[in-house]
Amino acid sequence: VRSLRSLNSRFDQYVRGYQAAMSADEKNGFNLFAGKAKCATCHFIPLFNGVVPPFFADTESEVVGVPATKDKKNPVLDSDEGKFNFTKSVIHKHSFKTPTLRNIELTGPYMHNGVYTTLDEVMEFYNNGGGKGLHIAPSNQTLPFDKLSLTKKEMSDIVAFMRSLTDT
């Protein structure tokens, strides 16, 4: 698995000094990703996954309250208990490994159950507070309960940034 590295995306080229590799919207999306949107609190830079720096030996998992379907009128928490099935530790109930966002535009559908087919849907879910925003959050949700209050333009810029993580 470690041999499946993706480190020549436009983002990587930008970080290595090629300023024209990313658009202004993508750069703004990166700043939002690492700042206001709080994405980088779980998807750690530079690998954009849950492998914890500085030694990248431990992998985080999170409880975000993923719904079983896209139904927003009568949402139901997905029944998969995730990491709890292995550890039997209550803190891991509905907890899932934080995946890499590298090549994310190529790896849909999204979430552990594939409930979302677009990155825009994923951004809307997180912007509204995850499971809490749908009123289905498990009591151990690790995602902050507050809405992010991102504008449509800001969410679009974050999606543009995530697409810049696609390797060549």
Side-chain angles (χ1 to χ4, degrees):
V1 171
R2 288 181 188 255
S3 69
L4 300 174
R5 283 185 292 229
S6 159
L7 300 171
N8 197 33
S9 67
R10 287 184 296 105
F11 171 79
D12 296 307
Q13 293 167 22
Y14 176 79
V15 169
R16 288 193 298 265
Y18 180 50
Q19 298 296 305
M22 289 177 66
S23 70
D25 289 346
E26 291 167 337
K27 292 173 193 175
N28 185 52
F30 173 67
N31 288 327
L32 290 162
F33 180 95
K36 180 180 178 181
K38 305 175 187 173
C39 309
T41 61
C42 297
H43 296 276
F44 305 125
I45 301 164
L47 301 177
F48 297 96
N49 62 12
V51 181
V52 184
F55 301 113
F56 303 100
D58 298 319
T59 301
E60 296 250 331
S61 63
E62 302 292 340
V63 179
V64 298
V66 176
T69 69
K70 291 182 186 183
D71 183 355
K72 292 180 188 172
K73 290 188 179 186
N74 298 300
V76 176
L77 182 66
D78 188 83
S79 62
D80 190 335
E81 293 184 329
K83 195 173 181 179
F84 174 80
N85 291 322
F86 302 100
T87 68
K88 302 302 181 200
S89 176
V90 176
I91 64 166
H92 292 141
K93 208 167 207 179
H94 301 287
S95 178
F96 294 89
K97 178 182 173 183
T98 305
T100 184
L101 298 182
R102 288 191 172 269
N103 291 319
I104 191 71
E105 75 175 318
L106 306 175
T107 59
Y110 305 103
M111 311 314 267
H112 72 276
N113 61 358
V115 68
Y116 298 123
T117 54
T118 70
L119 292 171
D120 294 319
E121 292 171 330
V122 173
M123 282 305 306
E124 183 180 339
F125 170 74
Y126 282 110
N127 193 41
N128 290 325
K132 177 69 171 183
L134 292 170
H135 307 289
I136 60 169
S139 61
N140 62 328
Q141 179 172 308
T142 56
L143 183 71
F145 290 122
D146 300 335
K147 291 184 178 194
L148 296 173
S149 300
L150 297 167
T151 66
K152 292 224 181 262
K153 170 73 167 111
E154 289 171 328
M155 289 191 293
S156 175
D157 286 357
I158 294 169
V159 169
F161 161 68
M162 287 190 289
R163 288 188 173 123
S164 82
L165 295 172
T166 303
D167 206 357
T168 55

